[in-house]
Amino acid sequence: MNWLGQQRHRWKPAAEWLRAELPEPLDGALLVGSGATAMFSDAPLWRCPYTAVPGFPAPTVAGHSGILELRRIGRAWVLVFGGRFHLYEGYQVDEVVAPVVLASLLGIRWLVVTNAAGSVTHTYAPGDVLLLRDALNLSFRSLPMAGRCHISRHLFPHPEWRLRLRQRLEQLGVCCPEATYAAMLGPTYETPAEVRFLQRVGAEVVGMSTVHELQCAVALGIGALAFSVVTNWAAGLQSRPLSHAEVMETVGRAAPRLYRVVKAAFSVLPDL
């Protein structure tokens, strides 16, 4: 059994449990990063803690609630994963991509991922929300896809969805520039020298997540879009020390804008 088959087998009990619990069929999934559940002001139709799902791990980082919710977003019924798993927490790639595998087992074909990121350029400031055009995997970890080298390296292989989103955002007058995201292993913030390196290799924002979930989505045939909330200037672009508290505060301020772009994405799903 190949690695993907192993993951499907591992998370099948969790998928069967959720299928029996969820009150509506699913159209999409949303995997949110630090503090991003602040974008929701209303109550979900259904919710449960990660710990209630058989075998499912739980986040350990502040701002990752570890709550699953069913919400109507745009035109879609969306399973919202309130928090992710990071390699720097001690999780393996298998756990990091568990929400994506679980979404696939539930028949979900469309995924939106958000993250909190630092800006390595003065072009984008804290509070901006960016649509990712590409990503650099600098975590030096990848999916163990032996025998699957034909899997596309393009992390966003569904241009129709992106085009529809861009058109909707233009109609709404919402500014959402595109950027390239660099994923580092963490858990420490980057040094000024590392930031200069990232600038030279084409990154515009940097974080500690997202690429593995996107790789897994591609391997499973799930269409994906990813958004970064810029939460701070990277080291060397500001004088004060970086902190997770600053990240959380900025995500809270950017939450309404993030919700507008996420809602737009789920309003223009190609098959709804």
Side-chain angles (χ1 to χ4, degrees), residues 44-250:
L45 177 65
W46 172 93
R47 68 184 316 201
C48 82
Y50 283 15
T51 51
V53 181
F56 210 60
T60 64
V61 179
H64 295 257
S65 67
I67 301 290
L68 272 171
E69 297 181 343
L70 179 63
R71 291 182 171 274
R72 185 76 173 177
I73 305 177
R75 300 169 56 200
W77 283 109
V78 179
L79 183 63
V80 180
F81 291 87
R84 58 160 47 89
F85 315 114
H86 302 83
L87 292 173
Y88 69 73
E89 294 176 80
Y91 288 115
Q92 301 302 309
V93 171
D94 298 23
E95 285 85 29
V96 169
V97 302
V100 184
V101 178
L102 190 52
S104 176
L105 289 168
L106 291 169
I108 292 171
R109 298 182 54 235
W110 307 104
L111 170 70
V112 172
V113 180
T114 80
N115 62 55
S119 177
V120 302
T121 169
H122 288 292
T123 303
Y124 303 121
D128 287 346
V129 176
L130 310 175
L131 174 64
L132 299 189
R133 73 166 74 89
D134 208 342
L136 295 161
N137 183 3
L138 300 178
S139 72
F140 302 104
R141 305 286 193 281
S142 194
L143 273 61
M145 299 288 289
R148 296 293 297 270
C149 295
H150 61 282
I151 290 295
S152 172
R153 292 293 294 168
H154 198 306
L155 297 179
F156 306 106
H158 291 273
E160 181 187 358
W161 192 14
R162 178 178 291 265
L163 177 60
R164 288 185 177 205
L165 173 60
R166 294 249 60 108
Q167 292 170 340
R168 175 58 63 88
L169 293 176
E170 184 176 352
Q171 293 169 357
L172 296 172
V174 175
C175 178
C176 187
E178 298 196 5
T180 296
Y181 174 87
M184 308 289 277
L185 182 59
T188 56
Y189 293 108
E190 297 70 37
T191 66
E194 288 169 334
V195 171
R196 293 193 296 273
F197 164 77
L198 292 172
Q199 293 168 342
R200 286 174 172 80
V201 297
E204 290 149 303
V205 288
V206 59
M208 306 172 193
S209 66
T210 302
V211 293
H212 302 99
E213 293 114 326
L214 294 176
Q215 288 175 346
C216 190
V218 171
L220 291 168
I222 296 174
L225 293 175
F227 298 97
S228 284
V229 179
V230 179
T231 55
N232 56 273
W233 300 109
L237 276 71
Q238 66 176 15
S239 56
R240 66 180 183 275
L242 302 177
S243 73
H244 193 62
E246 179 184 1
V247 169
M248 296 293 293
E249 190 273 334
T250 307

Side-chain angles (χ1 to χ4, degrees), residues 250-272:
T250 307
V251 171
R253 286 192 287 107
R257 183 181 300 181
L258 178 61
Y259 182 73
R260 293 188 76 186
V261 298
V262 168
K263 182 179 179 180
F266 283 117
S267 298
V268 295
L269 292 181
D271 59 357
L272 282 182

